[in-house]
Amino acid sequence: MTQTTPEAPVRRQRAQVRVRTLRTDRWWLAPLVTFLGLASFLVYGVWAIIDNSIFYDPYIAPFASPCLAAATCPEGAQLFGWAPIGDWYTLSPGLLILGLPGGFRLTCYYYRKSYYRSFWLSPPACAVQEPHGKYTGERRFPLILQNIHRYFFYAAIVIGLVLAYDAVLALVHKPLGLGTWILILNAVLINAYTISCHSCRHITAGRLNHFSRHPLRYKAWTFVSKLNAKHQQLAWASMFSVMGADLYVRLVAKGIIAFPYA
């Protein structure tokens, strides 16, 4: 009987590119554009937290919805007239909820690739040398926290439904308002991006062994899979739509935009 020796475990490491790059095209353009796009979203988010112009009846700025603080949320902006956070809270209402959609995007599979390449240069592009000597994947702190993406997905579903509710209210009270249709478009893109998530695809029917026994879940999985193929495009479209819709409401609330059917 022949005795075999178990093979030694293979060490994970980055591809060894001995020169700065093997590419001859403008490989740096994609990570640069991604960096500028994501950075603009982060800068705007900080400004939106500081700014208090969140409501112009019937429009509520998406970055502050649901508005849950009694002291800083106008009555018309409160979700179902409900403000569980009392008068003691005087900071931006967006601080109470932005961590939920923000955490969903931060842990999103597509966004991980985006900011790993554009912010951390890990790696910046294929066949390009990177500055990091070690590779541990997402097995250690803090990147192991990326595994809670599914729980942020559940929270993002709630936020998406709230934004859809805000858009319906605007449609009921101001059907000819430009802001109404901006909020509707944003709600559609936000919810499409959310349910196109890889976690949603897995939840619908990703663990089934026999699709034929679960026809409804299979149809849901097929629909989500089609959206999932456009997940990258929906990620960018929804990011700029929520930023644009939020800015529009704030400019109207400040009186900077003031024309008929605003």
Side-chain angles (χ1 to χ4, degrees), residues 19-180:
V19 295
R20 180 172 178 269
T21 178
L22 301 175
R23 305 270 293 265
T24 58
D25 62 330
R26 292 184 293 178
W27 59 266
W28 47 268
L29 186 59
L32 175 61
V33 171
T34 301
F35 173 85
L36 294 175
L38 296 179
S40 67
F41 186 70
L42 293 174
V43 171
Y44 180 82
V46 172
W47 175 80
I49 290 175
I50 298 172
D51 183 72
N52 292 320
S53 303
I54 63 170
F55 182 67
Y56 181 85
D57 196 19
Y59 307 146
I60 178 171
F63 273 51
S65 182
C67 203
L68 305 176
T72 54
C73 297
E75 185 175 350
Q78 297 172 7
L79 184 64
F80 308 126
W82 182 55
I85 308 300
D87 293 334
W88 60 270
Y89 182 86
T90 58
L91 300 177
S92 169
L95 282 173
L96 296 172
I97 53 95
L98 277 180
L100 300 178
F104 176 64
R105 288 185 184 265
L106 184 68
T107 58
C108 165
Y109 295 123
Y110 167 70
Y111 279 116
R112 291 187 213 179
K113 182 189 78 172
S114 296
Y115 64 77
Y116 286 176
R117 290 185 176 184
S118 60
F119 282 81
W120 296 349
L121 305 178
S122 182
C126 295
V128 177
Q129 191 180 71
E130 67 165 291
H132 306 283
K134 295 183 179 180
Y135 173 62
T136 60
E138 296 175 338
R139 298 173 298 160
R140 297 181 183 177
F141 183 83
L143 295 185
I144 196 172
L145 297 178
Q146 302 281 29
N147 294 319
I148 64 175
H149 174 64
R150 171 172 293 189
Y151 302 102
F152 278 122
F153 164 72
Y154 298 141
I157 285 288
V158 175
I159 298 296
L161 292 175
V162 170
L163 295 181
Y165 174 77
D166 292 342
V168 170
L169 280 185
L171 181 63
V172 170
H173 293 97
K174 204 169 187 177
L176 298 180
L178 176 60
T180 295

Side-chain angles (χ1 to χ4, degrees), residues 224-257:
V224 172
S225 295
K226 291 179 180 178
L227 286 179
N228 181 256
K230 302 293 183 181
H231 192 53
Q232 174 178 333
Q233 294 89 329
L234 289 170
W236 282 101
S238 63
M239 188 182 80
F240 282 106
S241 75
V242 70
M243 189 162 52
D246 187 87
L247 179 61
Y248 181 85
V249 173
R250 292 175 192 271
L251 293 180
V252 172
K254 293 176 183 294
I256 297 176
I257 294 179

